[in-house]
Amino acid sequence: MTIDGPQDLGSDLSDEVHPPERQRGPVTLRRGRSEEATTTDQRLLDSRGPSDWVHTDPWRVLRIQAEFVEGFGALAEVPRAVTVFGSARTKREDPEYQLGRDIGAALAASGFATITGGGPGAMEAVNRGASEAGGLSIGLGIELPFEQGLNPWVDLGVNFRYFFARKTMFIKYSQAFICLPGGFGTLDELFEALTLVQTKKVTKFPVVLFGTSYWGGLYDWLRASVFEGGKIGEKDLSLLHLTDDVDDAVSVVEKAYQAWSDAH
């Protein structure tokens, strides 16, 4: 009886146990996928090549990461702040524009930085009021096909490609939201904030609806249809505060911030 030695056994299994392979960063390529001879550095440095790669999902991941890094870096040292939303279509001669300036100024007088979407209309009004009152005026812009860049009253601005990265900054660096009359964008941010508070993803976070004649119908519908239909609770309705008074809006923000500060 003949027994093959260990070296023969290893030779028989080597091709199966260790098939041809190539490393592409953290990725291992074996068998037919290992035949590509070039390296990542070589492909980077050899020639320009096609530009399609800048639109691929792996590259988008890096852009998304960069947006979060830039946003966190720019806003990390921002003091207590309030985000104010409102329509980009509000005209400068509209009374709502003056209300925006008044709210920005009142927040600045109370020691809050003011954050907006950085665009025109109501956003510009709030940034303007805050800046003129000596407060920190922040604009978080978004790449859109139909709106211009940051308004001239933004002191600290960050532009974003992705809505979800921008939304994270609104929530992370604000102690409250104040919503002036606005459209889909304002409604989107309003309900996202309410959802995050309801599901306890963020701590107590007041949401002020400024303008009872504008927001009253929405609140009545939430109570008559959504609440009465059992889709939300009484506690959920209490997350909203309707007002027409600038001092009242700022007072709600101050009390919520003080409660949060005492708890921390």
Side-chain angles (χ1 to χ4, degrees):
M1 180 177 179
T2 302
I3 300 177
D4 293 334
Q7 290 183 341
D8 292 335
L9 181 61
S11 175
D12 292 341
L13 295 178
S14 61
D15 289 342
E16 184 61 32
V17 175
H18 298 291
E21 70 176 43
R22 183 174 62 85
Q23 295 298 127
R24 191 176 67 189
V27 178
T28 297
L29 302 175
R30 287 178 173 165
R31 299 180 180 87
R33 294 183 177 272
S34 68
E35 296 171 0
E36 189 178 84
T38 61
T39 66
T40 302
D41 281 340
Q42 182 181 348
R43 292 193 298 275
L44 172 66
L45 300 174
D46 250 3
S47 64
R48 289 188 59 176
S51 62
D52 293 349
W53 61 274
V54 301
H55 303 295
T56 62
D57 286 344
W59 180 247
R60 288 192 181 100
V61 169
L62 295 179
R63 280 182 169 173
I64 291 166
Q65 176 180 301
E67 291 209 344
F68 279 108
V69 170
E70 287 294 335
F72 291 152
L75 302 174
E77 297 181 356
V78 167
R80 59 182 190 167
V82 174
T83 292
V84 185
F85 293 107
S87 176
R89 304 184 186 191
T90 302
K91 306 299 183 184
R92 288 181 177 173
E93 61 272 17
D94 193 315
E96 290 174 6
Y97 187 92
Q98 184 59 50
L99 278 175
R101 291 179 67 180
D102 293 343
I103 289 172
L107 289 171
S110 295
F112 288 96
T114 301
I115 303 174
T116 78
M123 294 174 281
E124 176 189 286
V126 174
N127 285 132
R128 181 176 180 177
S131 183
E132 290 176 333
L136 178 57
S137 174
I138 301 169
L140 306 182
I142 185 69
E143 181 182 85
L144 293 175
F146 50 82
E147 286 185 17
Q148 298 177 349
L150 296 175
N151 69 68
W153 299 99
V154 169
D155 301 323
L156 170 61
V158 184
N159 278 301
F160 293 86
R161 285 187 176 92
Y162 300 100
F163 268 113
F164 53 84
R166 180 183 185 233
K167 287 178 177 180
T168 299
M169 304 304 152
F170 282 138
I171 291 289
K172 180 173 177 59
Y173 295 102
S174 296
Q175 273 70 50
F177 279 176
I178 297 176
C179 296
L180 289 166
F184 285 158
T186 302
L187 290 168
D188 174 51
E189 298 291 355
L190 164 63
F191 283 105
E192 181 147 20
L194 291 173
T195 301
L196 290 171
V197 178
Q198 181 197 50
T199 56
K200 301 188 185 303
K201 293 295 185 181
V202 295
T203 54
K204 180 67 174 176
F205 192 96
V207 179
V208 178
L209 300 180
F210 200 95
T212 55
S213 62
Y214 188 86
W215 296 109
L218 174 64
Y219 186 85
D220 291 342
W221 174 76
L222 288 172
R223 175 172 287 282
S225 295
V226 186
F227 171 68
E228 292 296 337
K231 305 302 187 294
I232 59 175
E234 187 75 39
K235 187 176 180 180
D236 299 325
L237 275 177
S238 69
L239 297 175
L240 289 166
H241 182 85
L242 276 73
T243 187
D244 292 308
D245 185 79
V246 173
D247 291 337
D248 180 44
V250 175
S251 176
V252 169
V253 172
E254 289 176 332
K255 289 177 181 176
Y257 178 78
Q258 188 60 53
W260 177 88
S261 182
D262 292 344
H264 291 76

